[in-house]
Amino acid sequence: LKPELLDKIRLFGQLEREIVYYRDGKACAVCGELIRWPDLEIHHIDEHQAGGKTVIENAVAVHRDHHPKGQAALDFAETWRAKAHHPPGATVGAPGAVTLDATDDLVGESRHGGRSRLPPEGTRCRFTYGSREYRGTIADGRIEIDDMPGFFRSFSAASGAVSNTSRNGWLDWDILLTGSEDWMPAEMWRKSGDSGQ
């Protein structure tokens, strides 16, 4: 027998927490919504109790109330690896290797109970904050803001990245659907029924 000892370090330190939080765009790996610092927990993709290391390459930011446990943690890791095409034990959380779109099958219900589906591919988006207008595009089921690194799984996460505050992004953004000439509030589109809600 060659028993494998667990990593002696169980919890992520302050520096590791900050690195993972900012690397993940302050967004929850489960729901894609912005995480306020007090609600942040760091999840071991490969669980510590199953031999997962306490290193940032094996970590993702999650809301405290979304932290996968038990079978949900196993399902999360499996889905994360499948989307990222990483085998068990790979460094799935490494910056640039796997990003938030690895949670596509895990996103669906927002933490507020409603669907969190974005407008169709190619939809243009705009948000004015302070004296600056931010523009982006819906691509691959996420919001890509022009001249900003990364992408966002929700309007709230995008608004949070722009403003560095927790916001209801549906109220911040206007959208221009492909083939349309008129901008409309994202919240109006969501409530119109076109969003599949």
Side-chain angles (χ1 to χ4, degrees):
L1 291 176
K2 287 187 172 183
E4 189 172 319
L5 299 176
L6 296 180
D7 188 347
K8 291 179 183 178
I9 301 170
R10 171 69 181 93
L11 300 176
F12 291 92
Q14 180 72 15
L15 180 60
E16 290 89 1
R17 290 170 54 82
E18 288 180 28
I19 290 170
V20 172
Y21 182 61
Y22 288 104
R23 179 201 68 200
D24 292 355
K26 302 181 188 177
C28 178
V30 175
C31 73
E33 296 284 326
L34 181 70
I35 306 170
R36 294 179 332 116
W37 183 260
D39 298 327
L40 171 69
E41 288 193 1
I42 304 299
H43 174 64
H44 287 79
I45 297 166
D46 291 316
E47 286 189 290
H48 181 264
Q49 67 188 19
K53 303 286 184 203
T54 304
V55 294
I56 60 174
E57 295 82 12
N58 187 40
V60 290
V62 296
H63 283 106
R64 176 171 311 186
D65 59 342
H66 288 166
H67 199 148
K69 308 250 189 256
Q71 186 60 45
L74 297 174
D75 294 344
F76 176 89
E78 182 179 324
T79 302
W80 186 268
R81 276 193 292 280
K83 289 291 184 180
H85 308 292
H86 287 291
T91 57
V92 296
V98 179
T99 49
L100 292 176
D101 70 339
T103 63
D104 283 343
D105 291 342
L106 303 172
V107 177
E109 296 298 319
S110 76
R111 65 186 167 130
H112 306 293
R115 294 291 297 167
S116 57
R117 197 172 136 226
L118 293 172
E121 297 287 305
T123 298
R124 291 291 294 156
C125 312
R126 69 180 180 194
F127 169 39
T128 301
Y129 185 75
S131 60
R132 181 172 173 198
E133 182 177 82
Y134 295 84
R135 289 187 175 238
T137 306
I138 306 293
D140 298 323
R142 59 194 185 192
I143 302 166
E144 297 176 356
I145 301 175
D146 301 345
D147 303 321
M148 265 186 97
F151 58 85
F152 307 93
R153 300 282 304 144
S154 69
F155 284 115
S156 295
S159 292
V162 166
S163 68
N164 203 25
T165 62
S166 181
R167 305 175 63 93
N168 179 348
W170 287 104
L171 302 176
D172 290 335
W173 291 85
D174 291 325
I175 62 170
L176 180 65
L177 297 169
T178 304
S180 175
E181 295 180 14
D182 300 317
W183 288 88
M184 70 185 315
E187 179 71 354
M188 182 185 297
W189 174 81
R190 183 169 78 152
K191 289 184 174 180
S192 72
D194 290 338
S195 65
Q197 291 184 21

